[in-house]
């Protein structure tokens, strides 16, 4: 377990450095510029139904549905109670942490910035903040950790699904001008780091046998 935690810590440190360099390189702005229309003085996909409703609202409600369904599983299936509660707690921890950090961090979304038709100026004080919507997918990393010891194969499917949903949510918001790419990557980083810590704590507190 110690070796695994050391590898996780090293991987998280390298990932944090890579995300920080991505933001400082200006790639964030170049990616967002691909979705911006100078002729329209904004992001054409901002209010598009496929992105604003299906990609944003529906995906958010789906994630909330999964979170609530875990409580039903915990109540109805004793064999799955522990992993269901573990996943429920991990999702809540990641989602609320990202939302809280976003609220506490001064920032501007791309669609607010003067470079993209808004009026706000970009500033790099704690320059990267997490993207709250991306947490609807990345918070589901908790399912992987909850199933990791009980059902390794199912855990890998859950991990793949979390990445797909998280990256989809991130791409939708970048295309709409709501987030920079690095914001979504910080969300994934936070969700993974918190769930690593929760998994290690639960393993430590788990009774033997």
């Amino acid at each position: 377990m110690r070796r695994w935690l050391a590898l996780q810590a090293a991987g998280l440190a390298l990932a944090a450095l890579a995300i920080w360099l991505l933001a400082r390189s200006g790639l964030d702005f170049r990616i967002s510029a691909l979705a911006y229309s100078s002729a329209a003085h904004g992001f054409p996909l901002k209010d598009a139904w496929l992105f604003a409703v299906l990609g944003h609202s529906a995906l958010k409600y789906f994630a909330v549905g999964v979170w609530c369904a875990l409580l039903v599983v915990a109540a109805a299936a004793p064999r799955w109670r522990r992993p269901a509660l573990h996943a429920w707690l991990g999702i809540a921890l990641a989602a609320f942490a990202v939302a809280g950090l976003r609220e506490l961090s001064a920032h501007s979304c791309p669609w607010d910035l003067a470079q993209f038709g808004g009026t706000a100026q970009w500033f790099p004080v704690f320059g990267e903040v997490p993207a709250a919507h991306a947490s609807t997918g990345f918070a589901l990393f908790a399912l992987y950790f909850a199933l990791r010891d009980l059902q390794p194969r199912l855990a890998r499917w859950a991990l793949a699904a979390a990445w797909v949903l998280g990256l989809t949510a991130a791409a939708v918001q970048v295309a709409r001008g709501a987030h920079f790419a690095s914001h979504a990557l910080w969300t994934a980083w936070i969700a993974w780091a918190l769930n690593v810590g929760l998994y290690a704590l639960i393993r430590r507190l788990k009774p033997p046998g």
Side-chain angles (χ1 to χ4, degrees):
M1 188 65 179
R2 288 184 179 179
R3 183 172 181 272
W4 181 82
L5 283 173
L7 288 172
Q8 290 293 321
L12 285 166
L14 289 173
L17 177 61
I19 298 169
W20 185 84
L21 289 174
L22 180 151
R24 290 297 185 271
S25 71
L27 187 57
D28 257 350
F29 278 83
R30 289 196 288 274
I31 292 172
S32 290
L34 295 175
Y36 175 72
S37 168
S38 55
H41 299 288
F43 292 86
L45 297 176
K46 179 180 178 180
D47 298 314
W49 181 87
L50 184 63
F51 288 78
V53 178
L54 190 61
H56 184 260
S57 299
L59 194 57
K60 178 173 63 177
Y61 293 135
F62 170 77
V64 172
V66 170
W67 189 56
C68 294
L70 288 168
L71 288 180
V72 176
V73 172
R79 179 173 179 262
W80 294 95
R81 181 169 296 133
R82 181 182 290 272
L85 290 176
H86 177 167
W88 184 89
L89 181 58
I91 290 171
L93 186 64
F96 286 116
V98 168
L101 287 170
R102 182 170 173 78
E103 287 300 316
L104 292 172
S105 303
H107 62 279
S108 293
C109 299
W111 61 32
D112 293 326
L113 300 178
Q115 296 95 317
F116 297 119
T119 58
Q121 297 298 317
W122 180 85
F123 51 92
V125 180
F126 298 110
E128 299 81 36
V129 297
H133 185 56
S135 68
T136 58
F138 294 134
L140 299 181
F141 286 156
L143 289 170
Y144 164 73
F145 287 99
L147 295 168
R148 191 171 184 267
D149 297 328
L150 184 64
Q151 292 283 344
R153 185 177 181 182
L154 187 57
R156 289 191 290 272
W157 278 106
L159 179 60
W163 273 112
V164 169
L165 288 173
L167 291 174
T168 298
V172 164
Q173 291 299 78
V174 170
R176 296 180 66 228
H179 299 310
F180 286 112
S182 65
H183 296 178
L185 294 176
W186 277 123
T187 299
W189 190 95
I190 292 167
W192 187 268
L194 289 175
N195 275 286
V196 165
L198 179 63
Y199 173 76
L201 178 62
I202 289 175
R203 281 286 299 269
R204 185 178 182 85
L205 297 176
K206 185 179 179 180

